[in-house]
Amino acid sequence: MSTKPASSRKSSVGKVHLPPKAFAAKARIGSMAAYERLYRESIKRPTDFWAREAKDLQWRKPWTKTLVWKAPFAKWFVGGKLNVCENCVDRHAEGPRRNKAAILWEGEPGDRRTLTYGQLHREVCRFANALEAAGVRSGDRVLIYMPMVPEAAIAMLACARIGAVHNVVFGGFAADAIADRLEDSGATTVVTADGGWRRGKVVALKPAVDEALRRYKHVKRVIVLRRCGNPVDMRAKRDTWWHDATAAVSARHTARAFDSEHPLFMLYTSGSTGKPKGILHTSGGYLTGTHATCKYVFDLRDEDVYWCTADVGWITGHSYIVYGPLAIGATQVMYEGAPNFPDFGRFWKIIEDHGVSVFYTAPTAIRAFIRAGDHFPAAADLSSLRLLGSVGEPINPEAWNWYHRHIGGGRCPIVDTWWQTETGAVMIAPIPGATPLKPGSAARPFFGIDAAVLDDAGRECPPDQEGRLVIRKPWPSMARTIHGDPARFKKTYWSDYPGLYTAGDGARRDKDGDFRIIGRLDDVLNVSGHRLGTAEIESALVAHPAVAEAAVIGRPDDIKGQAVAAFVTLKTGVGETSALKEELRRHVAGVIGAIARPDDLVFAPGLPKTRSGKIMRRLLKELITTGSISGNITTLEDFTVIDTLRERIGGEPTP
Ligand code: WT7
């Protein structure tokens, strides 16, 4: 470990930013020495560290054993009982935070609502009663398909309160994706809305649910929030309005205590096969991890106004809009709509209007703001900000520097947080009052997290050498399994190196021990910070009657990080028309959702394959990125396909 003062160090990407003195003076961890001390201790005895953090929560019954670890299956705080919702809502509503704002909500059209912890408590209790009246019981699965309105969080918390397992599906997913998740999770209840506002228009949600329910017949109750007033079909007996379901029920509800390992939610995420995985998270450990990271990484305090711009449909929305911030009693902004409605000044106006002090967003958004122009943030008063965060993909140093200067005014530390749906909470990130920041580096592991970069033989890589990112010890917020498929859980995450968690990301550490995450090593794309499996998009394409075969790759994109490029071989006799191209792109959006719509679609009379028939995606990637192939192609079965594709890419500007 270098003992030289960080200010004298230079890395290849430029300046190292030390925590501002005023920030460090107030922070929970105020120096690198304090971080190192606590980190060393936490790694020597992780269960002691986590047990101390878990005591910040309210337990109805104390645990008897902190960890039972039979790799890869963990149980944390065994024997302990708690109610997650009570921790996020009741304990604040019953104390001095009763009249403190929990959620400062802003709809896209400009409508606003404030929910204090006391009000949130009543709303959650009402909805918990409504769910119970609809027959929902502990352990039942509830699919939530909602816009970014307070009711999305209320529905999640109400599920947690009664022990039902929520499965939130991002509002941008299409009917097929909803049906797949209903089926895989075995859901009995759906909570949705008529629609939500996005870029000045109503995006209808209920019709997609109706379509999914024509395929999956086991849903007994659909509760529909009226948000936009767009007309929807309500099916008698099955469908009921939120306002009707909550009208007659009490605003009081007695919360039962659940086992620490009681399932809290499942959330589907893409992998390298066509079938998304239902990642399962449980109660006590998950809440401990999200709470502890809010405390140390965001250094959240009662006087903060925190804003995470994610959607509740992703893990970031679960951990850093709903569970972590509410568990710590924060005041947060929640915003329904698009960052560029009515223009690219919207976020900065929200920060000014609500006095946001801690702001957490994604690199893809930052790059879009850079392109839109500096005059947008310059027009707003951003002086309330004290800390910035980034998540979802590696943040390129140019975006980091812009964020630091134009949003943070050069005074706010940036915490670049690396984690995943599977990890539940932040794993690698700076501690803002302590860590010297290097643009583009996620810095050091969080307390209790034993992260390393290994080569193929399982040896730790020397400084600056790229390898696979692994976690060597269990942590409380880790996924417990893939719903219904523990064998896949084991195979996907725990079999590259026995007993170690493989994240699927490439990374390297520098000589100071700071991590730089390179990106996915598997067939998973990161499009605007969202995970998409190439196999998923390929299987959507081949499901179209005109398509014989498809190969999907990620192409570098200035704003999205990666864009989706699809190479499609049509069935014999089908004409290669631009209308069909459009239809296929629309088809993918219709099957998976708009985020998966291919940016480029190239008709390929043949795809490059090895002699054993494996599609060589590496060649397609090189071809679409550079326009030619320079690497080794000796294993290629038919050399002419490359020439044909090169001509097509050159001859066709991407649509
Ligand atoms: C994948 C996980 C974590 C919530 C959002 C995405 C990439 C995430 C970073 C970061 C570099 C990052 C990784 C990871 N990723 N954060 N700070 N730096 N890469 O959750 O959909 O589960 O995706 O996102 O590739 O494996 P997710």
Side-chain angles (χ1 to χ4, degrees):
M1 190 66 47
S2 164
T3 49
K4 269 204 272 171
S7 55
S8 70
R9 260 186 259 145
K10 292 265 176 199
S11 77
S12 58
V13 286
K15 201 173 151 210
V16 173
H17 301 258
L18 291 179
K21 283 205 177 64
F23 191 103
K26 277 190 67 184
R28 289 182 174 95
I29 306 286
S31 71
M32 214 40 194
Y35 163 83
E36 303 271 17
R37 197 177 330 113
L38 186 50
Y39 183 73
R40 256 196 318 272
E41 238 177 75
S42 76
I43 286 301
K44 221 189 270 162
R45 273 183 296 276
T47 49
D48 286 2
F49 170 77
W50 291 118
R52 208 162 57 235
E53 290 305 316
K55 282 181 188 148
D56 280 354
L57 304 179
Q58 188 171 303
W59 294 81
R60 295 268 196 98
K61 186 169 169 257
W63 60 91
T64 50
K65 206 156 174 11
T66 307
L67 169 67
V68 174
W69 176 229
K70 283 201 193 83
F73 301 104
K75 288 186 181 152
W76 281 89
F77 312 115
V78 180
K81 281 187 190 290
L82 80 171
N83 185 293
V84 168
C85 176
E86 179 177 276
N87 272 278
C88 294
V89 183
D90 303 42
R91 65 169 172 153
H92 309 309
E94 282 157 9
R97 292 192 184 114
R98 178 169 189 77
N99 297 315
K100 182 190 175 183
I103 297 175
L104 303 166
W105 177 79
E106 192 167 310
E108 196 190 66
D111 40 344
R112 287 182 184 173
R113 271 164 74 193
T114 298
L115 282 168
T116 63
Y117 275 96
Q119 290 168 321
L120 182 63
H121 181 242
R122 287 193 289 279
E123 295 301 325
V124 169
C125 286
R126 260 200 201 101
F127 200 64
N129 282 321
L131 286 175
E132 285 185 336
V136 181
R137 297 288 173 263
S138 156
D140 289 353
R141 272 79 68 207
V142 176
L143 186 137
I144 299 176
Y145 184 68
M146 300 274 277
M148 282 292 288
V149 291
E151 283 79 2
I154 290 167
M156 292 161 77
L157 291 162
C159 286
R161 187 172 192 89
I162 65 171
V165 184
H166 60 69
N167 168 22
V168 184
V169 177
F170 171 59
F173 279 121
D176 270 345
I178 301 172
D180 288 346
R181 285 154 178 76
L182 284 168
E183 214 158 73
D184 191 80
S185 67
T188 57
T189 308
V190 175
V191 184
T192 187
D194 49 3
W197 288 98
R198 189 91 190 162
R199 290 201 181 86
K201 292 200 185 76
V202 173
V203 177
L205 295 172
K206 176 69 164 49
V209 170
D210 291 337
E211 199 185 322
L213 293 183
R214 280 194 279 277
R215 206 182 101 191
Y216 176 81
K217 310 267 185 205
H218 305 286
V219 166
K220 292 188 222 108
R221 177 67 89 214
V222 180
I223 303 178
V224 188
L225 178 79
R226 184 176 282 151
R227 160 67 185 135
C228 299
N230 49 311
V232 295
D233 290 332
M234 295 292 279
R235 202 217 253 187
K237 290 209 180 83
R238 188 193 70 187
D239 301 353
T240 169
W241 288 105
W242 178 296
H243 53 263
D244 291 332
T246 51
V249 294
S250 160
R252 291 169 182 278
H253 177 276
T254 311
R256 265 170 63 198
F258 293 96
D259 198 88
S260 174
E261 282 298 331
H262 188 82
L264 181 62
F265 65 86
M266 53 183 96
L267 185 61
Y268 285 78
T269 190
S270 298
S272 42
T273 74
K275 190 173 181 282
K277 305 171 274 197
I279 300 298
L280 184 81
H281 282 286
T282 60
S283 304
Y286 173 78
L287 201 62
T288 299
T290 51
H291 179 273
T293 45
C294 280
K295 180 172 152 191
Y296 295 111
V297 178
F298 296 117
D299 199 31
L300 284 187
R301 286 140 198 297
D302 267 327
E303 58 271 31
D304 274 317
V305 176
Y306 163 84
W307 182 23
C308 166
T309 67
D311 189 283
V312 286
W314 311 110
I315 190 67
T316 310
H318 286 59
S319 301
Y320 297 107
I321 293 177
V322 179
Y323 292 108
L326 294 177
I328 209 165
T331 292
Q332 68 176 313
V333 167
M334 186 177 185
Y335 169 59
E336 176 186 36
N340 58 349
F341 186 83
D343 61 36
F344 275 99
R346 185 62 181 268
F347 274 17
W348 321 129
K349 176 104 174 50
I350 292 176
I351 291 175
E352 173 177 319
D353 288 354
H354 297 271
V356 171
S357 56
V358 179
F359 179 62
Y360 191 27
T361 195
T364 183
I366 297 166
R367 291 189 299 262
F369 290 128
I370 296 175
R371 179 177 285 184
D374 301 350
H375 56 289
F376 286 112
D381 177 1
L382 303 178
S383 60
S384 57
L385 289 170
R386 67 177 191 92
L387 176 63
L388 304 174
S390 170
V391 62
E393 59 179 309
I395 177 165
N396 47 308
E398 301 70 35
W400 196 102
N401 285 321
W402 185 90
Y403 195 29
H404 189 252
R405 172 151 170 235
H406 292 274
I407 307 306
R411 75 182 178 278
C412 305
I414 298 176
V415 288
D416 175 6
T417 62
W418 175 84
W419 58 294
Q420 308 177 294
T421 303
E422 294 86 343
T423 70
V426 170
M427 302 293 277
I428 301 179
I431 298 296
T435 313
L437 304 174
K438 299 169 190 165
S441 163
R444 301 287 192 88
F446 187 67
F447 304 116
I449 302 301
D450 183 12
V453 178
L454 304 185
D455 66 16
D456 290 344
R459 285 177 303 240
E460 205 159 342
C461 291
D464 299 323
Q465 185 186 305
E466 193 177 328
R468 290 170 206 275
L469 180 56
V470 301
I471 312 294
R472 294 186 289 207
K473 288 187 176 68
W475 65 101
S477 65
M478 65 196 280
R480 295 302 189 262
T481 190
I482 293 173
H483 174 71
D485 202 347
R488 188 175 177 199
F489 179 67
K490 201 165 171 176
K491 183 165 175 289
T492 310
Y493 305 109
W494 300 90
S495 58
D496 287 2
Y497 311 100
L500 309 189
Y501 174 81
T502 346
D505 278 311
R508 51 176 194 266
R509 282 188 103 158
D510 65 16
K511 59 177 184 353
D512 302 323
D514 287 330
F515 285 79
R516 207 167 276 271
I517 315 298
I518 317 289
R520 303 292 307 189
L521 295 168
D522 48 13
D523 290 326
V524 170
L525 307 184
N526 190 326
V527 179
S528 302
H530 301 313
R531 224 204 274 192
L532 287 170
T534 54
E536 237 174 301
I537 306 172
E538 287 165 4
S539 82
L541 282 166
V542 296
H544 189 282
V547 175
E549 198 171 28
V552 167
I553 53 152
R555 155 177 76 68
D557 180 90
D558 285 348
I559 302 288
K560 298 178 174 188
Q562 280 186 310
V564 178
F567 291 82
V568 175
T569 308
L570 297 174
K571 285 185 183 152
T572 321
V574 179
E576 296 180 349
T577 63
S578 53
L580 180 58
K581 234 182 222 191
E582 248 335 285
E583 185 182 322
L584 291 175
R585 296 174 69 224
R586 242 193 344 260
H587 168 77
V588 173
V591 173
I592 302 174
I595 49 167
R597 178 187 285 122
D599 297 274
D600 309 340
L601 198 138
V602 181
F603 287 130
L607 291 168
K609 289 184 184 171
T610 61
R611 286 184 191 94
S612 61
K614 234 179 131 189
I615 297 173
M616 297 172 78
R617 290 192 184 72
R618 165 179 72 82
L619 296 187
L620 294 171
K621 203 167 175 164
E622 191 181 342
L623 198 61
I624 205 146
T625 311
T626 68
S628 65
I629 302 287
S630 62
N632 182 344
I633 53 166
T634 50
T635 52
L636 191 63
E637 181 235 11
D638 174 1
F639 294 94
T640 62
V641 299
I642 289 290
D643 294 328
T644 315
L645 289 179
R646 189 189 303 127
E647 271 162 35
R648 292 200 169 197
I649 289 166
E652 295 178 339
T654 51

